[in-house]
Amino acid sequence: HPWYFAYAVGRAQLETLRDEARIQAGAAFDLRSFHDAVLGHGAPPVPLLRSRVLAATPTGNMPRGAAGESAGGSHAPTLNRP
């Protein structure tokens, strides 16, 4: 199906974004907060979503789940590499 290529590319881009956010936040990564941040921005193109999510991603060692609200009202992702 022709739509499968677009799905596969989008999935790969989101997986890369998740990995970048995990690295950026370190031990503070929380997958649910990451998903909230991604879904909280609607459906922009992935490059725009990437800049918004990474801007809202904490750096360093925050306590798990301690991220606050971003300016857009969604939870900032708190990210941790397993």
Side-chain angles (χ1 to χ4, degrees):
H1 293 167
W3 53 264
Y4 187 77
F5 179 73
Y7 163 79
V9 169
R11 178 179 174 172
Q13 290 176 327
L14 286 173
E15 288 173 350
T16 298
L17 174 58
R18 183 190 62 213
D19 292 343
E20 288 180 88
R22 279 184 176 155
I23 291 167
Q24 181 173 314
F29 178 77
D30 177 69
L31 187 58
R32 180 171 290 192
S33 294
F34 171 77
H35 285 165
D36 288 346
V38 168
L39 295 174
H41 290 292
V46 174
L48 178 59
L49 178 64
R50 179 184 177 276
S51 66
R52 290 179 178 181
V53 169
L54 291 179
T57 299
T59 58
N61 294 322
M62 284 180 58
R64 191 171 184 85
E69 299 273 315
S70 71
S74 63
H75 294 285
T78 48
L79 314 159
N80 159 355
R81 188 147 215 125

XYZ file of all heavy atoms in Angstrom:
611
model
N 0.837 -1.192 0.000
C 0.000 0.000 0.000
C 0.871 1.241 0.000
O 1.877 1.302 0.705
C -0.917 0.005 1.200
C -1.927 -1.085 1.145
N -2.670 -1.440 2.216
C -2.337 -1.904 0.157
C -3.487 -2.418 1.887
N -3.296 -2.723 0.638
N 0.449 2.270 -0.727
C 1.266 3.482 -0.837
C 1.412 4.236 0.483
O 2.419 4.882 0.719
C 0.531 4.336 -1.864
C -0.695 3.618 -2.245
C -0.709 2.291 -1.581
N 0.435 4.168 1.360
C 0.502 4.890 2.629
C 1.520 4.275 3.579
O 1.970 4.927 4.512
C -0.864 4.939 3.303
C -1.483 3.581 3.462
C -2.380 3.005 2.613
C -1.221 2.622 4.483
N -2.696 1.743 3.054
C -2.000 1.477 4.210
C -0.418 2.609 5.613
C -1.989 0.347 5.013
C -0.398 1.482 6.413
C -1.180 0.369 6.107
N 1.897 3.034 3.377
C 2.801 2.361 4.310
C 4.164 3.039 4.371
O 4.771 3.119 5.431
C 2.968 0.880 3.959
C 3.769 0.162 5.012
C 3.185 -0.199 6.216
C 5.120 -0.106 4.825
C 3.918 -0.818 7.210
C 5.865 -0.724 5.809
C 5.259 -1.083 7.000
O 5.995 -1.686 7.984
N 4.654 3.552 3.247
C 5.947 4.227 3.242
C 5.922 5.447 4.168
O 6.837 5.651 4.964
C 6.340 4.646 1.819
C 7.649 5.376 1.775
C 8.844 4.705 1.954
C 7.675 6.754 1.584
C 10.053 5.376 1.924
C 8.879 7.429 1.552
C 10.073 6.742 1.727
N 4.866 6.252 4.065
C 4.748 7.433 4.929
C 4.677 7.017 6.394
O 5.300 7.642 7.264
C 3.524 8.252 4.546
N 3.929 5.967 6.694
C 3.841 5.456 8.062
C 5.213 5.018 8.564
O 5.628 5.363 9.675
C 2.866 4.276 8.115
C 3.017 3.447 9.370
C 2.466 3.876 10.576
C 3.744 2.262 9.358
C 2.626 3.131 11.730
C 3.899 1.513 10.508
C 3.344 1.953 11.695
O 3.513 1.218 12.839
N 5.951 4.266 7.750
C 7.254 3.745 8.155
C 8.259 4.870 8.394
O 9.030 4.834 9.359
C 7.780 2.768 7.109
N 8.246 5.881 7.541
C 9.153 7.021 7.716
C 8.799 7.779 8.995
O 9.673 8.114 9.796
C 9.114 7.950 6.485
C 9.841 9.257 6.761
C 9.721 7.259 5.282
N 7.525 8.052 9.203
C 7.090 8.752 10.413
C 7.435 7.982 11.672
O 7.881 8.558 12.672
N 7.238 6.688 11.648
C 7.569 5.854 12.806
C 9.066 5.925 13.105
O 9.465 6.097 14.258
C 7.155 4.407 12.559
C 7.513 3.508 13.708
C 7.090 2.089 13.482
N 7.606 1.276 14.577
C 7.300 0.028 14.761
N 6.465 -0.579 13.944
N 7.807 -0.630 15.762
N 9.890 5.820 12.083
C 11.340 5.891 12.278
C 11.747 7.255 12.841
O 12.603 7.338 13.734
C 12.061 5.618 10.961
N 11.124 8.325 12.349
C 11.448 9.658 12.851
C 11.049 9.808 14.316
O 11.785 10.413 15.098
C 10.762 10.723 12.003
C 11.346 10.852 10.616
C 10.592 11.833 9.756
O 9.373 11.990 9.872
N 11.315 12.497 8.863
N 9.892 9.279 14.694
C 9.459 9.366 16.092
C 10.344 8.515 17.011
O 10.633 8.913 18.137
C 7.999 8.967 16.232
C 7.017 10.007 15.713
C 5.593 9.457 15.732
C 7.105 11.286 16.527
N 10.791 7.361 16.531
C 11.699 6.536 17.336
C 13.036 7.243 17.537
O 13.609 7.209 18.632
C 11.895 5.169 16.690
C 10.670 4.295 16.798
C 10.773 2.995 16.030
O 11.733 2.818 15.234
O 9.875 2.149 16.205
N 13.510 7.934 16.505
C 14.747 8.704 16.624
C 14.563 9.848 17.612
O 15.433 10.101 18.460
C 15.176 9.246 15.243
O 15.418 8.134 14.389
C 16.421 10.102 15.343
N 13.426 10.531 17.540
C 13.129 11.617 18.478
C 13.094 11.093 19.907
O 13.652 11.703 20.819
C 11.803 12.285 18.111
C 11.288 13.343 19.084
C 12.307 14.463 19.268
C 9.955 13.896 18.594
N 12.458 9.951 20.116
C 12.409 9.353 21.453
C 13.819 9.066 21.968
O 14.140 9.358 23.121
C 11.585 8.067 21.425
C 11.440 7.424 22.800
C 10.832 6.047 22.710
N 11.721 5.200 21.918
C 11.319 4.214 21.127
N 10.046 3.936 21.005
N 12.188 3.492 20.454
N 14.671 8.513 21.121
C 16.047 8.219 21.535
C 16.815 9.496 21.868
O 17.559 9.537 22.852
C 16.770 7.435 20.450
C 16.208 6.028 20.271
O 15.497 5.542 21.179
O 16.481 5.419 19.218
N 16.628 10.553 21.063
C 17.291 11.825 21.342
C 16.823 12.394 22.679
O 17.631 12.908 23.460
C 16.992 12.836 20.247
C 17.690 12.564 18.940
C 17.332 13.614 17.911
O 18.029 14.650 17.862
O 16.367 13.395 17.150
N 15.523 12.315 22.933
C 14.977 12.830 24.183
C 15.496 12.022 25.373
O 15.801 12.583 26.429
C 13.452 12.807 24.132
N 15.622 10.699 25.227
C 16.182 9.869 26.296
C 17.600 10.287 26.635
O 17.979 10.385 27.793
C 16.200 8.398 25.883
C 14.921 7.691 26.045
C 15.078 6.223 25.712
N 13.837 5.536 25.975
C 13.465 4.434 25.389
N 14.241 3.871 24.487
N 12.322 3.872 25.682
N 18.397 10.508 25.602
C 19.790 10.906 25.812
C 19.852 12.276 26.479
O 20.625 12.492 27.416
C 20.552 10.890 24.475
C 20.721 9.443 24.000
C 21.903 11.588 24.598
C 21.173 9.313 22.556
N 19.033 13.205 26.005
C 19.055 14.564 26.544
C 18.663 14.608 28.008
O 19.285 15.307 28.799
C 18.122 15.465 25.727
C 18.107 16.910 26.207
C 17.319 17.797 25.279
O 17.487 17.728 24.070
N 16.465 18.627 25.836
N 17.652 13.851 28.411
C 17.151 13.915 29.783
C 17.872 12.975 30.731
O 17.798 13.147 31.939
C 15.665 13.623 29.806
N 18.533 11.971 30.202
C 19.240 11.034 31.077
C 18.277 10.267 31.976
O 17.253 9.762 31.527
N 18.583 10.220 33.255
C 17.797 9.445 34.217
C 16.394 9.994 34.427
O 15.542 9.311 34.985
C 18.535 9.382 35.554
N 16.133 11.209 33.976
C 14.818 11.821 34.174
C 13.796 11.388 33.121
O 12.645 11.782 33.194
C 14.956 13.344 34.162
N 14.198 10.575 32.139
C 13.275 10.182 31.064
C 12.082 9.410 31.599
O 12.213 8.507 32.406
C 13.999 9.325 30.028
C 13.095 8.860 28.920
C 12.723 9.722 27.913
C 12.612 7.566 28.893
C 11.889 9.308 26.879
C 11.777 7.136 27.875
C 11.417 8.013 26.866
N 10.902 9.782 31.108
C 9.664 9.086 31.437
C 8.876 8.948 30.132
O 8.513 9.958 29.520
C 8.867 9.882 32.468
C 7.543 9.227 32.777
O 7.548 8.149 33.404
O 6.508 9.786 32.377
N 8.651 7.733 29.691
C 8.014 7.488 28.406
C 6.615 8.082 28.333
O 6.223 8.658 27.319
C 7.978 5.987 28.110
C 7.499 5.584 26.725
C 8.360 6.220 25.630
C 7.513 4.072 26.586
N 5.840 7.991 29.393
C 4.480 8.546 29.384
C 4.522 10.060 29.193
O 3.737 10.618 28.420
C 3.738 8.204 30.665
C 2.320 8.779 30.678
C 1.529 8.270 31.810
N 1.272 6.859 31.535
C 0.413 6.124 32.202
N -0.261 6.651 33.192
N 0.223 4.871 31.903
N 5.442 10.740 29.853
C 5.564 12.183 29.682
C 6.017 12.538 28.271
O 5.583 13.535 27.707
C 6.546 12.762 30.705
O 6.034 12.616 32.008
N 6.883 11.706 27.705
C 7.304 11.916 26.322
C 6.095 11.809 25.395
O 5.874 12.661 24.537
C 8.382 10.905 25.926
C 8.711 10.934 24.459
C 9.501 11.927 23.928
C 8.194 9.960 23.613
C 9.790 11.962 22.571
C 8.479 9.986 22.254
C 9.284 10.985 21.731
N 5.299 10.777 25.572
C 4.104 10.602 24.735
C 3.149 11.779 24.915
O 2.569 12.268 23.939
C 3.402 9.290 25.067
C 4.105 8.097 24.535
N 3.822 6.830 24.967
C 5.096 7.958 23.624
C 4.595 5.960 24.334
N 5.381 6.625 23.521
N 2.962 12.249 26.152
C 2.103 13.410 26.399
C 2.613 14.631 25.641
O 1.835 15.386 25.062
C 2.025 13.735 27.892
C 1.204 12.730 28.679
O 0.477 11.922 28.067
O 1.304 12.755 29.927
N 3.937 14.835 25.654
C 4.515 15.984 24.968
C 4.302 15.873 23.461
O 3.944 16.842 22.799
C 6.001 16.110 25.293
N 4.509 14.680 22.909
C 4.329 14.484 21.460
C 2.867 14.708 21.087
O 2.556 15.472 20.168
C 4.796 13.074 21.029
C 4.339 12.748 19.616
C 6.312 12.966 21.143
N 1.954 14.087 21.787
C 0.533 14.194 21.451
C -0.019 15.580 21.752
O -0.977 16.018 21.110
C -0.264 13.125 22.198
C 0.075 11.688 21.799
C -0.653 10.705 22.703
C -0.245 11.435 20.334
N 0.575 16.288 22.712
C 0.112 17.615 23.088
C 0.347 18.671 22.021
O -0.220 19.762 22.092
N 1.155 18.369 21.030
C 1.438 19.333 19.966
C 0.596 19.083 18.723
O 0.820 19.729 17.698
C 2.923 19.295 19.606
C 3.792 19.861 20.679
N 3.795 21.190 21.021
C 4.666 19.261 21.515
C 4.641 21.395 22.007
N 5.181 20.241 22.328
N -0.330 18.177 18.769
C -1.168 17.914 17.607
C -0.430 17.090 16.572
O 0.262 16.140 16.914
N -0.528 17.495 15.310
C 0.075 16.718 14.226
C 0.942 17.582 13.313
O 0.744 17.600 12.104
C -1.016 16.016 13.435
N 1.921 18.307 13.887
C 2.801 19.087 13.003
C 3.780 18.160 12.287
O 3.931 16.992 12.669
C 3.537 20.009 13.973
C 3.625 19.205 15.224
C 2.313 18.438 15.276
N 4.492 18.659 11.280
C 5.540 17.846 10.656
C 6.568 17.432 11.718
O 6.831 18.177 12.663
C 6.170 18.785 9.626
C 5.155 19.863 9.409
C 4.367 19.971 10.677
N 7.147 16.254 11.563
C 8.059 15.722 12.579
C 9.231 16.662 12.874
O 9.590 16.824 14.041
C 8.530 14.299 12.228
C 9.582 13.805 13.209
C 7.342 13.352 12.210
N 9.846 17.337 11.886
C 10.940 18.248 12.246
C 10.499 19.373 13.196
O 11.233 19.735 14.112
C 11.400 18.814 10.895
C 11.050 17.739 9.916
C 9.744 17.174 10.430
N 9.303 19.914 13.015
C 8.785 20.932 13.919
C 8.475 20.314 15.275
O 8.790 20.896 16.327
C 7.536 21.591 13.333
C 6.860 22.653 14.186
C 7.831 23.789 14.502
C 5.635 23.197 13.476
N 7.865 19.157 15.284
C 7.580 18.449 16.529
C 8.873 18.183 17.285
O 8.945 18.372 18.498
C 6.863 17.130 16.230
C 6.530 16.258 17.425
C 5.547 16.966 18.347
C 5.965 14.932 16.945
N 9.918 17.763 16.576
C 11.218 17.479 17.193
C 11.736 18.692 17.946
O 12.138 18.595 19.104
C 12.223 17.053 16.127
C 13.592 16.769 16.673
C 14.587 16.444 15.541
N 15.899 16.247 16.086
C 16.757 17.240 16.354
N 16.427 18.490 16.091
N 17.940 16.970 16.859
N 11.716 19.868 17.311
C 12.246 21.058 17.971
C 11.422 21.420 19.200
O 11.968 21.804 20.227
C 12.325 22.235 17.000
O 11.043 22.643 16.582
N 10.116 21.261 19.134
C 9.255 21.585 20.280
C 9.462 20.605 21.429
O 9.546 21.009 22.585
C 7.794 21.584 19.857
C 7.442 22.730 18.952
C 6.004 22.674 18.533
N 5.663 23.814 17.689
C 4.461 24.014 17.191
N 3.493 23.154 17.422
N 4.232 25.074 16.442
N 9.517 19.315 21.120
C 9.665 18.306 22.175
C 11.037 18.408 22.829
O 11.156 18.387 24.051
C 9.402 16.891 21.625
C 9.819 15.821 22.619
C 7.931 16.732 21.269
N 12.094 18.548 22.029
C 13.433 18.644 22.624
C 13.600 19.934 23.416
O 14.309 19.945 24.423
C 14.504 18.505 21.550
C 14.614 17.114 20.928
C 15.695 17.092 19.848
C 14.881 16.042 21.975
N 12.948 21.024 23.005
C 13.010 22.269 23.772
C 12.345 22.101 25.135
O 12.749 22.729 26.118
C 12.351 23.400 23.001
N 11.332 21.240 25.218
C 10.622 21.014 26.467
C 11.233 19.897 27.301
O 10.795 19.646 28.416
C 9.161 20.678 26.170
N 12.254 19.232 26.772
C 12.869 18.101 27.454
C 13.911 18.589 28.444
O 14.786 19.361 28.086
C 13.528 17.158 26.429
O 12.524 16.672 25.547
C 14.202 15.978 27.123
N 13.811 18.134 29.688
C 14.808 18.542 30.677
C 16.178 17.954 30.344
O 16.276 16.972 29.618
C 14.272 17.963 31.987
C 13.437 16.809 31.565
C 12.858 17.175 30.219
N 17.194 18.555 30.888
C 18.533 18.008 30.750
C 19.042 17.638 32.125
O 18.617 18.193 33.129
C 19.492 19.017 30.099
O 19.515 20.196 30.892
C 19.049 19.359 28.695
N 19.924 16.675 32.186
C 20.495 16.284 33.466
C 19.654 15.278 34.208
O 18.869 14.559 33.625
N 19.800 15.253 35.517
C 19.178 14.228 36.352
C 18.027 14.780 37.173
O 18.179 15.094 38.338
C 20.224 13.605 37.289
C 21.274 12.848 36.523
O 20.970 12.195 35.533
N 22.503 12.940 36.967
N 16.857 14.905 36.565
C 15.656 15.272 37.307
C 15.069 14.018 37.928
O 15.194 12.935 37.369
C 14.602 15.858 36.364
C 14.875 17.264 35.925
S 13.572 17.835 34.816
C 12.128 17.637 35.825
N 14.390 14.137 39.077
C 13.685 12.964 39.610
C 12.644 12.487 38.610
O 12.040 13.285 37.910
C 13.007 13.494 40.876
C 13.726 14.750 41.214
C 14.272 15.296 39.923
N 12.442 11.190 38.517
C 11.510 10.604 37.554
C 10.119 11.189 37.732
O 9.590 11.240 38.816
C 11.480 9.098 37.753
C 10.751 8.371 36.658
C 10.968 6.864 36.836
N 10.374 6.145 35.756
C 10.974 5.926 34.591
N 12.181 6.344 34.383
N 10.359 5.258 33.647
N 9.545 11.672 36.626
C 8.193 12.214 36.650
C 8.094 13.619 37.214
O 7.013 14.106 37.454
N 9.215 14.325 37.416
C 9.189 15.634 38.050
C 9.085 16.783 37.056
O 9.134 17.926 37.438
C 10.435 15.818 38.908
N 8.945 16.498 35.775
C 8.868 17.573 34.783
C 7.574 18.342 34.958
O 6.532 17.777 35.235
C 8.937 16.993 33.373
N 7.646 19.643 34.750
C 6.462 20.477 34.869
C 5.762 20.624 33.544
O 6.036 19.918 32.594
N 4.861 21.579 33.473
C 4.134 21.852 32.249
C 4.997 22.716 31.341
O 5.724 23.579 31.793
C 2.846 22.613 32.577
C 1.899 21.845 33.475
C 0.988 20.962 32.665
O 0.465 21.432 31.663
O 0.817 19.805 33.044
N 4.899 22.488 30.051
C 5.588 23.357 29.099
C 4.694 24.552 28.823
O 3.537 24.593 29.223
C 5.892 22.605 27.808
O 4.701 22.375 27.093
N 5.212 25.522 28.089
C 4.442 26.713 27.767
C 3.161 26.363 27.022
O 2.170 27.053 27.127
C 5.288 27.675 26.940
N 3.172 25.276 26.265
C 1.994 24.875 25.512
C 0.964 24.128 26.334
O -0.070 23.738 25.835
N 1.239 23.896 27.616
C 0.284 23.228 28.480
C 0.429 21.725 28.518
O -0.271 21.050 29.245
N 1.343 21.161 27.754
C 1.541 19.720 27.808
C 2.732 19.427 28.704
O 3.548 20.286 28.965
C 1.776 19.151 26.404
O 2.951 19.691 25.851
N 2.802 18.203 29.189
C 3.918 17.822 30.046
C 5.200 17.724 29.243
O 5.224 17.165 28.161
C 3.647 16.461 30.692
C 2.506 16.478 31.643
N 2.607 17.030 32.880
C 1.233 16.060 31.515
C 1.442 16.928 33.493
N 0.595 16.340 32.670
N 6.268 18.259 29.807
C 7.573 18.105 29.173
C 8.012 16.658 29.365
O 7.786 16.075 30.414
C 8.581 19.047 29.810
N 8.614 16.049 28.371
C 9.058 14.683 28.560
C 10.215 14.617 29.541
O 11.060 15.484 29.568
C 9.504 14.254 27.154
C 9.785 15.517 26.445
C 8.905 16.564 27.050
N 10.194 13.609 30.370
C 11.319 13.352 31.260
C 11.890 12.030 30.819
O 11.202 11.031 30.803
C 10.839 13.315 32.725
O 9.703 12.483 32.805
C 10.496 14.698 33.232
N 13.121 12.018 30.420
C 13.645 10.913 29.629
C 14.782 10.139 30.288
O 15.636 10.734 30.887
C 14.091 11.507 28.309
C 13.022 12.469 27.758
C 13.599 13.429 26.765
C 11.891 11.732 27.167
N 14.863 8.792 30.135
C 15.855 7.943 30.810
C 16.245 6.757 29.942
O 15.399 6.015 29.523
C 15.221 7.502 32.127
C 15.800 6.285 32.761
O 16.664 5.629 32.199
N 15.315 5.960 33.913
N 17.505 6.589 29.699
C 17.987 5.476 28.853
C 17.980 4.192 29.687
O 18.595 4.143 30.727
C 19.382 5.770 28.346
C 19.800 4.745 27.337
C 20.694 5.384 26.294
N 20.408 4.736 25.057
C 20.054 5.327 23.960
N 19.958 6.614 23.909
N 19.814 4.644 22.865
N 17.285 3.127 29.224
C 17.201 1.878 30.005
C 18.516 1.164 30.154
O 19.448 1.307 29.477
C 16.235 1.011 29.200
C 15.999 1.697 27.911
C 16.583 3.060 27.977
